[in-house]
Amino acid sequence: MRRKLAKQYVNGKMLLLCIIVLLSFTPTALCNERNILVLHSYDPEYIYTRVFNNTLKEELDKSGNSVNLFYEYLDAKRFDPADYYGLFEEYIISKYRNRKIDCILCFDDDALQFLLAEKNDLENLSTLPIIFGSIASKVLIYFAALERNMTGVFEDLDVSANVNLMLQILPAKHVFVVSDKTTLGVDLYEKARLVFKRLKHLSVEYLIGLPWNEMKERFENAPEGSAIFLLSYLRDEQNNVYSIERVSELLRGVSLPVVTLLTPLVNLGGALASCAPTPKTQIEAVVRILNSVLAGREVRYIPIVMDLPKNYLVNYPMLKKFDITRSSLPKNHILLNVPETFYRRYKNVLLPAICVVSILSVLALLLLINFNRRRRAEEALHREVAFLKQLVETIPDAMCYIDGSGRIVLWNKAFENYLSPTCGRIKGCKISDCISDISLVGNIELNSSNYVVNEEEFQTTPILFRDKSGEIHYLNVHKRPIKNGEKLIGTLIIMIDVTALVQMQESLRGQKSGWN
């Protein structure tokens, strides 16, 4: 009884242990999923936010990591986040207190500034690895570098490079510097003041945080040779909020060229040119750091990326609008919004088709040249053959050409006088079957394999033939082989009428015998 109870007790404990082990393998554990908190400085509809989120998802899918993304937004474009840091901090803590977060991604200056300011008050989030991106303030980069759990990507919105780009492509004498009073706008404004302070030959007018209507009046009354240098324009001093799309629309109604640090304005057609890292380039760099962190590398050993490659983006319609030549642009520039011509739309089909048509045209030309050559050669040959036929017909001696098997191929009119009446079709007939030989046919063999010893000599003994009219003729038969190289292809037969000569010889013999 005790042994049975002990066995039941052991089996129960084993069952309980199995249940605990199975419960410990949650779907997250089984899939090895990581939870990432993504903190954005601006609202979800802001173009940079949308581009960052879409590109981030694409790059994470490529990396093969199983990741759950949790998005939060400071909305610093429409509001001053310093007014509600405390409330936002409480919101974040209460929302993620019981959620395991593996890493924090933050984008743009306000999000990083919030994390630096509240780093010690975020409870379980305070010690997590933080990877930042699209940070334009070097001051924030400096403070982030002092933290053991922070690294990321410096956006390096190079004001000096964009000013140089503007002066390279535009004959600017007066520059309107436009910015807002956001964290980013103020930082870029301070950088711009330092750059333009060194350019004594330029007249510079700073428009910081002004409503659009006031700025538009300034633009309409601008002196000749004016240009707009736009740093940031998200919110004016009256708290009117402007999306990038709205700013692009407003700029298209201005008659001045615009150079900006906001690359989407070039894509949307509102600005002429920009020199800055693209959002895709920044996200790729952030994801590379994230993959290293998820692989187990400590954040403090990952250096901040400070030298992202920049792209010179140029809006093609604006290039034409202000009569700017492409030769004045940087060598590695990228043209955007180029009108889609018929060639550009169908070049993937046109190029192979052009290649095929070109090859066929060359082949057709070669065939035409060859055809013309052959036609000219055939015409010359026909003329020669016609001449030779006419020449052969005028020869009084019978002539024919037989192939290797002794069959007649060609003949002249004189040869027809010696054909048998039953011969019928001449071409293809064997010569021994066609000629009227008053001797035994078996005694004469005129096929191509039976030649005289010396091809150049006539047979000494004439052969008797009867022509169509029944008259008797003595003919000397001469055969000459026709060769193609070493190969025998036929025989030429010439039948010379020696009747008069034979008769004269017989007459002389008779006279001679009479004398004897």
Side-chain angles (χ1 to χ4, degrees):
M1 185 67 177
R2 289 179 180 177
R3 187 176 297 174
K4 185 176 181 180
L5 290 173
K7 187 175 181 180
Q8 290 177 351
Y9 176 75
V10 171
N11 290 340
K13 290 194 71 174
M14 291 293 292
L15 179 62
L16 181 61
L17 181 61
C18 290
I19 293 173
I20 293 173
V21 170
L22 288 174
L23 289 176
S24 66
F25 287 97
T26 61
T28 300
L30 288 171
C31 298
N32 195 28
E33 288 184 337
R34 305 296 185 89
N35 294 326
I36 308 296
L37 174 60
V38 182
L39 179 60
H40 282 286
S41 296
Y42 307 122
D43 60 281
E45 296 304 316
Y46 182 51
I47 187 169
Y48 271 106
T49 306
R50 297 201 309 268
V51 172
F52 281 155
N53 285 343
N54 294 337
T55 310
L56 178 62
K57 187 176 185 306
E58 292 174 3
E59 294 299 319
L60 287 174
D61 289 342
K62 291 180 185 177
S63 67
N65 288 318
S66 183
V67 173
N68 288 322
L69 299 176
F70 298 87
Y71 297 98
E72 300 295 342
Y73 305 91
L74 267 175
D75 207 0
K77 180 168 69 74
R78 298 182 289 186
F79 304 96
D80 185 356
D83 296 338
Y84 54 86
Y85 268 4
L87 294 175
F88 190 77
E89 175 193 328
E90 292 178 6
Y91 160 74
I92 291 292
I93 291 173
S94 61
K95 184 173 182 178
Y96 295 99
R97 179 177 285 126
N98 298 321
R99 172 73 65 176
K100 182 183 180 299
I101 300 296
D102 296 285
C103 183
I104 298 176
L105 300 181
C106 73
F107 293 100
D108 294 297
D109 293 17
D110 290 283
L112 180 58
Q113 186 170 314
F114 168 78
L115 292 174
L116 286 169
E118 309 297 327
K119 63 180 181 296
N120 297 323
D121 301 320
L122 294 176
E123 296 186 2
N124 60 316
L125 303 179
S126 297
T127 59
L128 293 178
I130 295 175
I131 303 171
F132 52 80
S134 189
I135 306 302
S137 172
K138 281 191 175 180
V139 175
L140 291 176
I141 293 292
Y142 171 75
F143 283 111
L146 299 176
E147 302 295 329
R148 295 169 61 87
N149 65 326
M150 290 188 180
T151 189
V153 179
F154 176 50
E155 186 176 8
D156 190 17
L157 293 177
D158 195 337
V159 175
S160 179
N162 280 273
V163 171
N164 291 336
L165 174 63
M166 179 180 65
L167 297 179
Q168 179 180 345
I169 63 178
L170 296 172
K173 299 177 182 178
H174 184 85
V175 179
F176 293 100
V177 178
V178 177
S179 189
D180 53 28
K181 294 183 179 180
T182 61
T183 303
L184 175 63
V186 172
D187 180 68
L188 294 176
Y189 162 68
E190 295 297 335
K191 292 180 180 179
R193 284 180 63 87
L194 295 175
V195 173
F196 283 106
K197 189 176 181 179
R198 298 193 297 267
L199 303 174
K200 303 295 185 181
H201 66 285
L202 285 179
S203 172
V204 183
E205 186 175 348
Y206 295 95
L207 308 177
I208 310 302
L210 293 183
W212 179 256
N213 291 334
E214 292 185 27
M215 289 197 298
K216 186 178 180 181
E217 292 180 7
R218 306 274 185 100
F219 298 152
E220 290 174 350
N221 299 317
E224 186 178 353
S226 294
I228 299 173
F229 188 67
L230 193 147
L231 302 172
S232 176
Y233 195 68
L234 306 179
R235 186 176 71 245
D236 62 25
E237 60 188 12
Q238 297 177 356
N239 286 326
N240 295 313
V241 177
Y242 300 88
S243 66
I244 292 290
E245 291 84 353
R246 178 57 179 162
V247 173
S248 177
E249 181 182 347
L250 295 172
L251 290 176
R252 283 197 294 270
V254 176
S255 60
L256 300 179
V258 180
V259 175
T260 180
L261 276 70
L262 304 177
T263 55
L265 285 176
V266 183
N267 293 71
L268 295 171
L272 168 63
S274 177
C275 174
T278 61
K280 180 176 176 60
T281 302
Q282 298 180 59
I283 291 297
E284 288 174 348
V286 169
V287 171
R288 283 195 292 270
I289 296 174
L290 177 61
N291 289 336
S292 297
V293 172
L294 296 180
R297 189 177 179 186
E298 292 189 39
V299 171
R300 59 178 175 170
Y301 297 126
I302 302 176
I304 296 173
V305 178
M306 299 294 292
D307 54 350
L308 281 179
K310 300 179 182 65
N311 294 308
Y312 290 98
L313 305 179
V314 181
N315 183 17
Y316 182 82
M318 289 287 183
L319 198 70
K320 294 299 182 182
K321 178 180 178 181
F322 297 106
D323 295 324
I324 300 172
T325 60
R326 290 190 62 177
S327 60
S328 65
L329 301 177
K331 291 184 179 180
N332 56 341
H333 68 275
I334 300 173
L335 281 180
L336 302 178
N337 304 320
V338 179
E340 190 175 25
T341 60
F342 178 83
Y343 169 75
R344 288 175 60 86
R345 179 180 297 180
Y346 298 107
K347 67 178 181 179
N348 291 335
V349 177
L350 284 176
L351 290 179
I354 291 172
C355 291
V356 171
V357 170
S358 300
I359 293 172
L360 292 177
S361 300
V362 171
L363 292 176
L365 180 62
L366 293 175
L367 289 173
L368 181 61
I369 293 172
N370 183 53
F371 173 77
N372 288 333
R373 287 179 177 175
R374 289 185 61 183
R375 185 182 63 183
R376 290 194 294 268
E378 288 176 357
E379 289 175 354
L381 181 61
H382 288 160
R383 287 194 298 270
E384 292 180 6
V385 170
F387 171 75
L388 292 174
K389 282 184 177 181
Q390 186 176 1
L391 181 63
V392 169
E393 294 297 335
T394 59
I395 297 175
D397 298 319
M399 300 175 64
C400 72
Y401 171 73
I402 61 175
D403 60 17
S405 60
R407 298 183 182 277
I408 300 173
V409 178
L410 297 171
W411 65 94
N412 65 350
K413 288 287 186 181
F415 181 74
E416 295 179 2
N417 289 330
Y418 304 103
L419 296 179
S420 170
T422 59
C423 179
R425 188 170 181 267
I426 302 174
K427 189 171 184 178
C429 178
K430 283 200 172 187
I431 191 170
S432 58
D433 297 333
C434 293
I435 55 179
S436 300
D437 181 12
I438 61 173
S439 303
L440 294 175
V441 175
N443 294 337
I444 62 168
E445 295 183 7
L446 299 176
N447 57 37
S448 60
S449 61
N450 184 23
Y451 299 110
V452 294
V453 176
N454 189 340
E455 299 173 351
E456 304 298 332
E457 295 180 356
F458 291 97
Q459 292 184 0
T460 56
T461 304
I463 302 176
L464 287 173
F465 285 89
R466 190 190 305 275
D467 62 14
K468 288 184 177 181
S469 61
E471 295 182 3
I472 301 298
H473 294 268
Y474 290 90
L475 301 179
N476 278 344
V477 179
H478 181 67
K479 298 185 293 180
R480 183 178 183 83
I482 306 298
K483 295 181 180 180
N484 183 10
E486 296 297 326
K487 183 180 180 182
L488 179 66
I489 59 174
T491 304
L492 177 65
I493 298 177
I494 302 176
M495 304 166 69
I496 301 175
D497 191 347
V498 293
T499 304
L501 180 61
V502 171
Q503 289 175 350
M504 186 181 298
Q505 288 177 348
E506 289 179 353
S507 175
L508 291 174
R509 287 193 195 100
Q511 292 177 3
K512 186 176 181 181
S513 61
W515 292 340
N516 292 330

